[in-house]
Amino acid sequence: NMRQLYIYLMFLIIYSFLGYIYEVFYQRIIFKKWVNPGFLHGPYFIVRGLFSLIVIYLLNGYYNDPLVIFVFGCIISSLFEYYTSYLLERVFKCKFWDYSGYKYNVNGRININKNILDGLLALVIIYCLNPLLKYVFSYVDTLYLKYISLGLLLIILLDFIFSFFEAKRICDIANHMELILNEYVKNKNIKLNKIKMRLIYAYPYLINNDRVVKRLYKLKKDFSKRKNL
């Protein structure tokens, strides 16, 4: 059923957007800073969207058993985050997050406290958001669903391609950042404006050294001032 496919694509996009908002405020509360928390540039957190789709697909049949939804929501979140972390590390040779400093963690890849929150989010998805979205989409023509969902998906795919190569560049230099900064200070022949800060703000564990990060911020700021003179 193509209509059902378009609806699931809309679920993915909407839940990715809502997941982005959730992560922004989570980062603000926990780390006291506003950042774009996503791998992509746009306001969508695809991992959250995929998590929501899995919850809907696997747990909607347990509508009358909220305890099952909560427990399996926690489990799905834990497995999904663990293997996402593992996959990113294998592909980019960099650690995007590390929960080792938290009391309840597994190999630094997952934070049990956060996964419990995701169990609660699974309840919100099944009992609140999903019924509401299904009701809204029941009034939307299939043709509109098709063009909107495929159009937004194309934008996200293009963003993913661009962000993938940006992340590769960042991770390639992350483990050599101090050498790069030393070379810049010594010879002034490194273009600091080529070093993108977005992913470093979002995933500080890419460069797991606060001193190096602060030094980079300062040099880029000085570089910008000189450029504008």
Side-chain angles (χ1 to χ4, degrees):
N1 188 314
M2 293 306 295
R3 178 179 174 83
Q4 196 62 34
L5 173 62
Y6 301 142
I7 287 175
Y8 272 99
L9 285 177
M10 289 302 298
F11 282 161
L12 173 65
I13 293 162
I14 290 171
Y15 282 120
S16 294
F17 173 71
L18 294 176
Y20 175 88
I21 294 174
Y22 169 81
E23 289 289 340
V24 165
F25 281 96
Y26 180 86
Q27 295 268 354
R28 176 60 184 172
I29 292 169
I30 300 299
F31 301 111
K32 312 298 183 192
K33 61 179 181 179
W34 296 105
V35 295
N36 176 351
F39 180 81
L40 306 182
H41 287 78
Y44 25 76
F45 204 88
I46 297 300
V47 171
R48 286 279 167 197
L50 291 172
F51 164 74
S52 300
L53 280 187
I54 293 171
V55 165
I56 292 167
Y57 183 76
L58 294 181
L59 302 182
N60 209 41
Y62 297 94
Y63 192 89
N64 294 322
D65 198 338
L67 182 60
V68 170
I69 293 173
F70 171 74
V71 171
F72 277 92
C74 296
I75 293 171
I76 291 169
S77 169
S78 301
L79 292 174
F80 201 68
E81 186 171 31
Y82 189 96
Y83 285 106
T84 298
S85 170
Y86 175 78
L87 181 62
L88 287 172
E89 198 169 326
R90 292 282 292 179
V91 172
F92 294 103
K93 311 296 189 232
C94 274
K95 211 175 253 191
F96 277 74
W97 60 82
D98 187 354
Y99 295 120
S100 297
Y102 292 81
K103 187 174 182 181
Y104 303 107
N105 76 88
V106 179
N107 295 334
R109 297 188 187 278
I110 62 174
N111 175 5
I112 303 300
N113 291 329
K114 191 176 183 184
N115 299 131
I116 290 173
L117 282 177
D118 287 343
L120 296 174
L121 283 176
L123 294 171
V124 173
I125 290 168
I126 294 297
Y127 291 114
C128 300
L129 295 176
N130 205 51
L132 175 62
L133 290 175
K134 287 174 72 174
Y135 175 77
V136 171
F137 291 148
S138 69
Y139 288 95
V140 181
D141 186 84
T142 301
L143 195 61
Y144 289 130
L145 283 174
K146 175 182 177 180
Y147 288 128
I148 293 171
S149 62
L150 293 180
L152 291 173
L153 183 64
L154 178 61
I155 292 171
I156 292 173
L157 287 175
L158 291 173
D159 192 342
F160 176 82
I161 293 169
F162 183 81
S163 298
F164 179 88
F165 288 106
E166 179 183 80
K168 284 289 286 182
R169 286 195 298 271
I170 289 295
C171 290
D172 285 343
I173 67 172
N175 294 324
H176 307 94
M177 184 62 77
E178 190 148 27
L179 291 175
I180 290 171
L181 297 183
N182 288 339
E183 182 69 18
Y184 173 78
V185 171
K186 183 179 178 181
N187 298 319
K188 298 291 190 297
N189 62 357
I190 302 293
K191 293 185 177 180
L192 287 184
N193 60 322
K194 297 294 184 183
I195 302 175
K196 305 295 184 182
M197 301 301 292
R198 183 184 66 86
L199 285 174
I200 294 173
Y201 275 115
Y203 300 103
Y205 289 102
L206 287 174
I207 304 172
N208 199 13
N209 188 318
D210 287 341
R211 181 179 57 80
V212 175
V213 174
K214 288 175 182 176
R215 187 181 176 200
L216 174 60
Y217 290 163
K218 185 176 185 304
L219 285 174
K220 277 185 71 75
K221 190 174 179 181
D222 293 343
F223 176 85
S224 298
K225 284 181 180 176
R226 286 198 302 273
K227 187 178 178 182
N228 293 327
L229 289 176

